[in-house]
Amino acid sequence: MAPTSTPQTPFGRVLTAMVTPFTPDGALDLDGAQRLAAHLVDSGNDGLIVNGTTGESPTTSDAEKSQLVRAVVDAVGDRAFVVAGAGTNDTHHSLELARAAQDAGAHGLLAVTPYYSKPPQEGLLRHFTAIADATELPVMLYDIPGRSGVPINTETMVRLAEHPRIVANKDAKGDLGRASWAIARSGLAWYSGDDMLNLPLLSVGAVGFVSVVGHIVTPELRALLDAHLNGDVTKATEIHQKLLPVFTGMFRTQGVITTKAALGLQGLPAGPLRLPLVELSPEETEQLTRDLAAGGVQL
């Protein structure tokens, strides 16, 4: 049974976009995934995103994706929302992934803007609607034009929000003005998808985070959120500023690379990366260690 949701927070407030642990030979590490999922929920996450970009979804097979959802649901599905990435730039394939995620026990779907193809807004509308129609699961859109090549325009958000199962958006657009209008007009539950903008997005109406740095600083993210909700702007700002070195360090290169390195430094399940991603160099690892230490992370 999934945790209790509300229309305002359909997937909770603090979610981490979880890496996919691999064994030393590069195979899927389901035991490691379960241990990492339990650790993240114990640290304060309301939910986990699996099979997203941070989960190296471009390099995992459909079968591996289903296995991962089942394993994580078995590990934490009674304590946290398990949201499965199902978006690709092929609508038909996305529908297959959505149905497979539902069959594997996912509580929700994350649907990224179709990448590389650069469809017009009408194509986005039909694509996301088809995904929402494919299962009974609630859907979180994922607007990240820096990766996909196209934004989800505010008018499109408003139209998509009319669908009863499209309930949220993960915002990695980096535009607080557009976010303000889209939040006000669509009524979607808004989640920050850019850790550096977690606090600014809360200030314009976001309800929570889908975080990468949540792998290592979930308690701090929870404290920031609680301070904001309690009206303690000073404390929220202090926590945000304390975390600036972490936000910077974790995104000096591709986030999956630094996250797996940070988890490895903490002795948590992560394992190697699949090409085309590559491990940090020794010099980059030293810089990451300095960045995390500056943000108060104990290694």
Side-chain angles (χ1 to χ4, degrees):
M1 179 178 293
T4 302
S5 64
T6 71
Q8 293 75 30
T9 56
F11 304 108
R13 290 191 182 274
V14 180
L15 298 90
T16 289
M18 197 177 92
V19 301
T20 299
F22 297 128
T23 61
D25 63 357
L28 190 63
D29 181 3
L30 294 177
D31 177 69
Q34 290 186 316
R35 288 187 287 118
L36 179 60
H39 167 78
L40 292 173
V41 174
D42 290 344
S43 297
N45 280 281
D46 300 318
L48 301 172
I49 306 288
V50 297
N51 295 329
T53 308
T54 308
E56 294 178 76
S57 59
T59 60
T60 57
S61 69
D62 290 3
E64 288 175 324
K65 289 178 172 64
S66 291
Q67 292 167 17
L68 184 63
V69 172
R70 286 192 179 90
V72 173
V73 169
D74 285 347
V76 301
D78 59 338
R79 298 194 291 139
F81 296 96
V82 179
V83 181
T88 72
N89 62 346
D90 172 0
T91 303
H92 178 73
H93 188 202
S94 299
L95 303 187
E96 292 179 340
L97 291 175
R99 295 181 185 118
Q102 178 173 258
D103 291 345
H107 304 134
L109 301 173
L110 179 71
V112 70
T113 313
Y115 39 84
Y116 191 75
S117 304
K118 300 182 75 171
Q121 293 298 304
E122 181 64 25
L124 299 186
L125 183 72
R126 296 186 193 184
H127 173 83
F128 289 126
T129 299
I131 292 174
D133 286 341
T135 78
E136 298 302 314
L137 298 177
V139 175
M140 179 189 293
L141 306 173
Y142 182 12
D143 186 15
I144 182 164
R147 288 184 185 270
S148 67
V150 294
I152 309 174
N153 289 346
T154 300
E155 292 295 336
T156 307
M157 287 279 188
V158 172
R159 293 176 67 188
L160 287 168
E162 296 172 0
H163 196 292
R165 284 188 292 279
I166 297 177
V167 298
N169 180 57
K170 176 185 175 184
D171 183 355
K173 187 177 282 175
D175 188 326
L176 293 173
R178 287 191 182 185
S180 299
W181 273 112
I183 292 168
R185 295 188 58 210
S186 72
L188 291 171
W190 214 259
Y191 292 84
S192 170
D194 183 342
D195 280 304
M196 187 68 83
L197 296 182
N198 284 346
L199 180 57
L201 277 166
L202 287 178
S203 74
V204 297
V207 301
F209 320 132
V210 174
S211 175
V212 173
V213 303
H215 284 91
I216 54 173
V217 291
T218 288
E220 291 83 353
L221 295 180
R222 174 66 67 179
L224 186 157
L225 178 66
D226 289 345
H228 173 81
L229 293 174
N230 292 330
D232 192 340
V233 176
T234 299
K235 182 177 179 181
T237 302
E238 288 174 351
I239 297 169
H240 169 76
Q241 291 177 347
K242 176 186 175 183
L243 291 175
L244 288 175
V246 178
F247 298 153
T248 298
M250 290 291 285
F251 294 101
R252 287 187 186 274
T253 185
Q254 209 272 0
V256 184
I257 297 173
T258 48
T259 299
K260 284 199 164 182
L263 290 172
L265 290 169
Q266 293 188 315
L268 292 166
L273 298 127
R274 288 183 177 175
L275 287 170
L277 300 183
V278 295
E279 282 73 16
L280 291 181
S281 68
E283 294 77 17
E284 289 171 323
T285 301
E286 290 177 6
Q287 179 63 60
L288 176 63
T289 301
R290 290 193 294 270
D291 290 330
L292 296 180
V297 177
Q298 301 294 319
L299 297 174

